């Protein structure tokens, strides 16, 4: 996911930025925090959990991930991926 300034996901810009940059450096998080993020992705994402985790932790765009999922057994559109990211940010805010 690309970084966007301003308030998103119902969080302040400062909080959203802190979560974004911590997720971008996912490997540097403690094992407990990485496991918590993975669990949130599994719970919210279901069959889309791998795509959700990739969206949260890489610089790939939602458009690119959505396009790559087309033609698979579990396609996801950008709007659905955005909703999952929004829910994930709210939950991740509680553990980071």
């Amino acid at each position: 996911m690309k970084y966007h300034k301003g308030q998103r996901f119902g969080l302040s810009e400062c909080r959203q930025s802190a979560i974004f940059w911590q997720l971008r450096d996912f490997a540097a998080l403690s094992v407990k925090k990485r496991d918590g993020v993975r669990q949130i992705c599994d719970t919210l994402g279901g069959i889309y959990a791998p795509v959700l985790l990739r969206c949260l932790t890489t610089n790939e765009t939602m458009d690119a991930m959505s396009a790559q999922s087309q033609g698979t057994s579990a396609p996801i559109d950008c709007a659905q991926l955005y909703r999952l990211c929004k829910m994930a940010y709210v939950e991740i805010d509680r553990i980071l």
Side-chain angles (χ1 to χ4, degrees):
M1 178 170 34
K2 299 278 186 182
Y3 178 75
H4 297 279
K5 290 181 74 174
Q7 186 173 345
R8 293 180 76 195
F9 307 131
L11 302 170
S12 69
E13 180 179 355
C14 183
R15 191 63 196 134
Q16 180 260 324
S17 296
I19 294 168
F20 177 88
W21 293 113
Q22 287 182 69
L23 290 174
R24 186 51 51 90
D25 198 11
F26 190 68
L29 291 175
S30 68
V31 172
K32 182 179 177 180
K33 288 181 180 180
R34 284 194 311 259
D35 288 346
V37 171
R38 285 189 186 105
Q39 183 178 7
I40 288 168
C41 289
D42 289 343
T43 302
L44 295 175
I47 61 172
Y48 303 116
V51 176
L52 178 57
L53 183 63
R54 202 169 88 225
C55 185
L56 295 172
T57 60
T58 70
N59 200 34
E60 285 186 72
T61 65
M62 288 184 188
D63 288 332
M65 284 185 256
S66 175
Q68 289 170 3
S69 75
Q70 301 308 311
T72 67
S73 60
I76 187 168
D77 63 34
C78 287
Q80 187 177 11
L81 189 52
Y82 180 86
R83 284 189 298 273
L84 288 174
C85 286
K86 180 178 181 177
M87 290 187 292
Y89 260 71
V90 170
E91 294 301 316
I92 291 168
D93 183 38
R94 297 177 183 162
I95 66 167
L96 291 184

